[in-house]
Short mmCIF file of all heavy atoms in Angstrom, two decimals:
data_model
loop_
_atom_site.label_atom_id
_atom_site.label_comp_id
_atom_site.label_asym_id
_atom_site.label_seq_id
_atom_site.Cartn_x
_atom_site.Cartn_y
_atom_site.Cartn_z
N PHE A 1 44.66 34.50 54.27
CA PHE A 1 43.98 35.69 53.78
C PHE A 1 43.57 35.41 52.35
O PHE A 1 44.43 35.22 51.47
CB PHE A 1 44.91 36.91 53.88
CG PHE A 1 44.27 38.21 53.52
CD1 PHE A 1 43.05 38.61 54.07
CD2 PHE A 1 44.90 39.08 52.65
CE1 PHE A 1 42.47 39.83 53.75
CE2 PHE A 1 44.34 40.31 52.33
CZ PHE A 1 43.12 40.68 52.88
N VAL A 2 42.27 35.36 52.10
CA VAL A 2 41.73 35.04 50.77
C VAL A 2 41.26 36.34 50.12
O VAL A 2 40.44 37.07 50.69
CB VAL A 2 40.56 34.04 50.87
CG1 VAL A 2 40.01 33.73 49.49
CG2 VAL A 2 41.00 32.77 51.58
N VAL A 3 41.79 36.61 48.93
CA VAL A 3 41.46 37.83 48.20
C VAL A 3 40.88 37.45 46.85
O VAL A 3 41.49 36.68 46.10
CB VAL A 3 42.72 38.71 47.99
CG1 VAL A 3 42.36 39.97 47.21
CG2 VAL A 3 43.37 39.06 49.32
N GLU A 4 39.70 37.99 46.55
CA GLU A 4 39.09 37.79 45.24
C GLU A 4 39.04 39.12 44.53
O GLU A 4 38.68 40.14 45.12
CB GLU A 4 37.69 37.21 45.38
CG GLU A 4 37.67 35.79 45.90
CD GLU A 4 36.29 35.20 45.82
OE1 GLU A 4 35.83 34.90 44.71
OE2 GLU A 4 35.67 35.08 46.90
N SER A 5 39.40 39.10 43.23
CA SER A 5 39.46 40.34 42.46
C SER A 5 38.80 40.16 41.10
O SER A 5 38.98 39.13 40.45
CB SER A 5 40.92 40.78 42.26
OG SER A 5 41.58 40.93 43.50
N VAL A 6 38.06 41.18 40.69
CA VAL A 6 37.44 41.25 39.36
C VAL A 6 37.58 42.69 38.87
O VAL A 6 38.13 43.53 39.57
CB VAL A 6 35.95 40.84 39.38
CG1 VAL A 6 35.77 39.39 39.78
CG2 VAL A 6 35.15 41.75 40.30
N GLY A 7 37.04 42.97 37.69
CA GLY A 7 37.04 44.35 37.19
C GLY A 7 38.35 44.79 36.59
O GLY A 7 38.74 45.94 36.72
N PHE A 8 39.03 43.86 35.90
CA PHE A 8 40.34 44.18 35.31
C PHE A 8 40.18 44.74 33.90
O PHE A 8 39.27 44.39 33.17
CB PHE A 8 41.20 42.92 35.24
CG PHE A 8 41.58 42.38 36.58
CD1 PHE A 8 40.86 41.35 37.16
CD2 PHE A 8 42.67 42.91 37.28
CE1 PHE A 8 41.21 40.85 38.40
CE2 PHE A 8 43.01 42.41 38.52
CZ PHE A 8 42.29 41.39 39.08
N ARG A 9 41.15 45.56 33.51
CA ARG A 9 41.26 45.97 32.12
C ARG A 9 41.66 44.74 31.31
O ARG A 9 42.32 43.85 31.83
CB ARG A 9 42.34 47.04 31.95
CG ARG A 9 41.99 48.34 32.61
CD ARG A 9 43.13 49.34 32.40
NE ARG A 9 42.82 50.58 33.06
CZ ARG A 9 42.19 51.59 32.47
NH1 ARG A 9 41.81 51.50 31.22
NH2 ARG A 9 41.94 52.69 33.13
N ASP A 10 41.30 44.70 30.07
CA ASP A 10 41.59 43.51 29.26
C ASP A 10 42.89 43.62 28.48
O ASP A 10 43.10 42.89 27.54
CB ASP A 10 40.42 43.20 28.33
CG ASP A 10 40.17 44.30 27.31
OD1 ASP A 10 40.85 45.34 27.37
OD2 ASP A 10 39.29 44.11 26.46
N HIS A 11 43.80 44.47 28.91
CA HIS A 11 45.09 44.61 28.21
C HIS A 11 46.24 44.05 29.02
O HIS A 11 47.39 44.23 28.67
CB HIS A 11 45.38 46.08 27.90
CG HIS A 11 44.32 46.74 27.08
ND1 HIS A 11 44.06 46.38 25.78
CD2 HIS A 11 43.43 47.70 27.39
CE1 HIS A 11 43.06 47.12 25.33
NE2 HIS A 11 42.66 47.92 26.28
N GLY A 12 45.94 43.41 30.13
CA GLY A 12 46.99 42.96 31.03
C GLY A 12 47.77 41.75 30.55
O GLY A 12 47.35 41.04 29.64
N TRP A 13 48.91 41.56 31.18
CA TRP A 13 49.77 40.40 30.97
C TRP A 13 49.93 39.72 32.32
O TRP A 13 50.39 40.34 33.27
CB TRP A 13 51.14 40.81 30.45
CG TRP A 13 51.18 41.36 29.07
CD1 TRP A 13 50.30 42.21 28.47
CD2 TRP A 13 52.21 41.12 28.10
NE1 TRP A 13 50.70 42.50 27.21
CE2 TRP A 13 51.88 41.84 26.95
CE3 TRP A 13 53.37 40.36 28.11
CZ2 TRP A 13 52.67 41.82 25.81
CZ3 TRP A 13 54.15 40.34 26.98
CH2 TRP A 13 53.80 41.06 25.84
N LEU A 14 49.58 38.45 32.41
CA LEU A 14 49.74 37.74 33.66
C LEU A 14 51.17 37.29 33.87
O LEU A 14 51.55 36.93 34.98
CB LEU A 14 48.79 36.54 33.71
CG LEU A 14 47.30 36.88 33.61
CD1 LEU A 14 46.46 35.62 33.61
CD2 LEU A 14 46.88 37.81 34.73
N SER A 15 51.96 37.28 32.80
CA SER A 15 53.36 36.88 32.86
C SER A 15 54.11 37.62 31.77
O SER A 15 53.61 37.74 30.65
CB SER A 15 53.48 35.36 32.64
OG SER A 15 54.78 35.00 32.25
N ALA A 16 55.29 38.08 32.07
CA ALA A 16 56.09 38.76 31.04
C ALA A 16 56.67 37.75 30.06
O ALA A 16 56.51 37.89 28.85
CB ALA A 16 57.22 39.55 31.69
N ASN A 17 57.34 36.74 30.56
CA ASN A 17 58.00 35.77 29.70
C ASN A 17 57.01 35.00 28.83
O ASN A 17 57.19 34.88 27.62
CB ASN A 17 58.84 34.80 30.53
CG ASN A 17 59.61 33.84 29.66
OD1 ASN A 17 60.17 34.23 28.65
ND2 ASN A 17 59.64 32.58 30.05
N MET A 18 55.96 34.48 29.43
CA MET A 18 55.00 33.67 28.69
C MET A 18 53.94 34.52 27.99
O MET A 18 53.19 34.01 27.16
CB MET A 18 54.33 32.65 29.60
CG MET A 18 55.30 31.60 30.14
SD MET A 18 56.17 30.69 28.82
CE MET A 18 54.81 29.86 28.03
N ALA A 19 53.84 35.78 28.34
CA ALA A 19 52.88 36.70 27.73
C ALA A 19 51.44 36.21 27.85
O ALA A 19 50.63 36.38 26.95
CB ALA A 19 53.24 36.96 26.26
N TRP A 20 51.10 35.60 29.02
CA TRP A 20 49.73 35.14 29.24
C TRP A 20 48.78 36.34 29.24
O TRP A 20 48.95 37.27 30.01
CB TRP A 20 49.59 34.42 30.58
CG TRP A 20 50.44 33.23 30.82
CD1 TRP A 20 51.36 33.07 31.82
CD2 TRP A 20 50.46 32.00 30.09
NE1 TRP A 20 51.94 31.83 31.75
CE2 TRP A 20 51.39 31.14 30.69
CE3 TRP A 20 49.76 31.53 28.98
CZ2 TRP A 20 51.66 29.86 30.22
CZ3 TRP A 20 50.03 30.25 28.52
CH2 TRP A 20 50.97 29.43 29.14
N PRO A 21 47.76 36.33 28.41
CA PRO A 21 46.82 37.45 28.38
C PRO A 21 45.71 37.29 29.42
O PRO A 21 45.53 36.23 30.00
CB PRO A 21 46.23 37.37 26.96
CG PRO A 21 46.29 35.92 26.62
CD PRO A 21 47.52 35.37 27.31
N ASN A 22 44.99 38.36 29.63
CA ASN A 22 43.75 38.29 30.38
C ASN A 22 42.69 39.13 29.68
O ASN A 22 43.02 40.04 28.93
CB ASN A 22 43.92 38.72 31.84
CG ASN A 22 44.15 40.19 32.04
OD1 ASN A 22 45.28 40.62 32.15
ND2 ASN A 22 43.09 40.98 32.10
N SER A 23 41.46 38.79 29.92
CA SER A 23 40.34 39.55 29.37
C SER A 23 39.66 40.31 30.49
O SER A 23 40.06 40.23 31.65
CB SER A 23 39.34 38.59 28.70
OG SER A 23 38.57 37.92 29.68
N ASP A 24 38.59 41.00 30.15
CA ASP A 24 37.82 41.72 31.17
C ASP A 24 37.00 40.77 32.05
O ASP A 24 36.43 41.19 33.04
CB ASP A 24 36.91 42.76 30.51
CG ASP A 24 35.92 42.15 29.53
OD1 ASP A 24 36.01 40.94 29.21
OD2 ASP A 24 35.05 42.89 29.04
N ALA A 25 36.98 39.48 31.72
CA ALA A 25 36.26 38.48 32.52
C ALA A 25 37.15 37.85 33.60
O ALA A 25 36.71 36.95 34.31
CB ALA A 25 35.70 37.39 31.61
N LEU A 26 38.38 38.31 33.72
CA LEU A 26 39.33 37.74 34.68
C LEU A 26 38.80 37.81 36.11
O LEU A 26 38.33 38.85 36.56
CB LEU A 26 40.66 38.48 34.59
CG LEU A 26 41.76 38.08 35.58
CD1 LEU A 26 42.18 36.63 35.39
CD2 LEU A 26 42.95 39.03 35.44
N HIS A 27 38.90 36.67 36.80
CA HIS A 27 38.59 36.58 38.24
C HIS A 27 39.80 35.92 38.88
O HIS A 27 40.12 34.78 38.57
CB HIS A 27 37.34 35.74 38.45
CG HIS A 27 36.93 35.58 39.88
ND1 HIS A 27 35.69 35.15 40.25
CD2 HIS A 27 37.59 35.79 41.05
CE1 HIS A 27 35.61 35.09 41.57
NE2 HIS A 27 36.75 35.47 42.07
N VAL A 28 40.49 36.66 39.74
CA VAL A 28 41.69 36.16 40.41
C VAL A 28 41.34 35.87 41.87
O VAL A 28 40.75 36.71 42.55
CB VAL A 28 42.84 37.20 40.35
CG1 VAL A 28 44.05 36.72 41.13
CG2 VAL A 28 43.21 37.50 38.91
N THR A 29 41.74 34.69 42.34
CA THR A 29 41.61 34.35 43.75
C THR A 29 43.02 34.09 44.29
O THR A 29 43.73 33.23 43.77
CB THR A 29 40.74 33.10 43.96
OG1 THR A 29 39.45 33.34 43.38
CG2 THR A 29 40.58 32.80 45.45
N GLU A 30 43.41 34.88 45.28
CA GLU A 30 44.72 34.72 45.91
C GLU A 30 44.51 34.22 47.33
O GLU A 30 43.62 34.68 48.03
CB GLU A 30 45.45 36.06 45.98
CG GLU A 30 45.70 36.70 44.63
CD GLU A 30 45.98 38.17 44.77
OE1 GLU A 30 45.01 38.95 44.91
OE2 GLU A 30 47.17 38.55 44.78
N ARG A 31 45.34 33.29 47.72
CA ARG A 31 45.32 32.76 49.08
C ARG A 31 46.71 33.01 49.67
O ARG A 31 47.68 32.39 49.25
CB ARG A 31 44.95 31.29 49.08
CG ARG A 31 43.57 31.04 48.44
CD ARG A 31 43.18 29.58 48.44
NE ARG A 31 42.90 29.09 49.77
CZ ARG A 31 41.77 29.28 50.44
NH1 ARG A 31 40.79 29.96 49.89
NH2 ARG A 31 41.62 28.80 51.65
#
């Protein structure tokens, strides 16, 4: 099942420990 996502707020954290940021240009592909 392949999921593509866009349209994120730019205040997110991709990881709590590492504090990886994301911008509004984030494109996530999940398989």
Side-chain angles (χ1 to χ4, degrees):
F1 185 50
V2 180
V3 179
E4 292 189 72
S5 303
V6 296
F8 294 97
R9 293 180 181 269
D10 63 356
H11 302 294
W13 291 40
L14 300 178
S15 161
N17 184 42
M18 294 303 296
W20 301 120
N22 71 265
S23 76
D24 59 352
L26 176 63
H27 180 164
V28 176
T29 303
E30 300 161 279
R31 302 180 69 79

